Amino acid sequence: MNVKLYEKLPDGELRELDERVWNANMVAALEHVNYLVVGNREFETVEGRLNIDEGKLELLLVPVVHE
């Protein structure tokens, strides 16, 4: 499945982070995980949307701040 990741910026805008094909195991893992690492940055998964028109799973992510 084609998965598109969006980062929610502090001002509320969305920035596309990544788009790639995920296998069925990766998509199924979303049931058990709340965090993703993309480009060596950690993000929390906020919500997901299945875009039928484009045939894509879209995930909204917010960055995790490590102090």
Side-chain angles (χ1 to χ4, degrees):
M1 172 171 276
N2 201 17
V3 178
K4 196 174 215 180
L5 304 177
Y6 292 96
E7 177 182 4
K8 186 171 184 181
L9 301 172
D11 64 2
E13 293 292 317
L14 300 181
R15 180 174 70 94
E16 186 177 329
L17 279 177
D18 189 71
E19 183 174 354
R20 67 180 80 179
V21 175
W22 286 20
N23 65 36
N25 289 335
M26 291 175 70
V27 173
L30 290 172
E31 285 188 46
H32 306 286
V33 300
N34 297 319
Y35 297 90
L36 300 174
V37 176
V38 181
N40 292 320
R41 294 176 60 207
E42 186 174 15
F43 295 90
E44 182 176 6
T45 305
V46 177
E47 61 184 72
R49 174 173 81 167
L50 186 58
N51 185 330
I52 299 297
D53 292 334
E54 294 186 21
K56 297 177 183 178
L57 175 61
E58 300 171 341
L59 299 176
L60 182 61
L61 311 172
V62 292
V64 173
V65 178
H66 294 282
E67 295 185 24

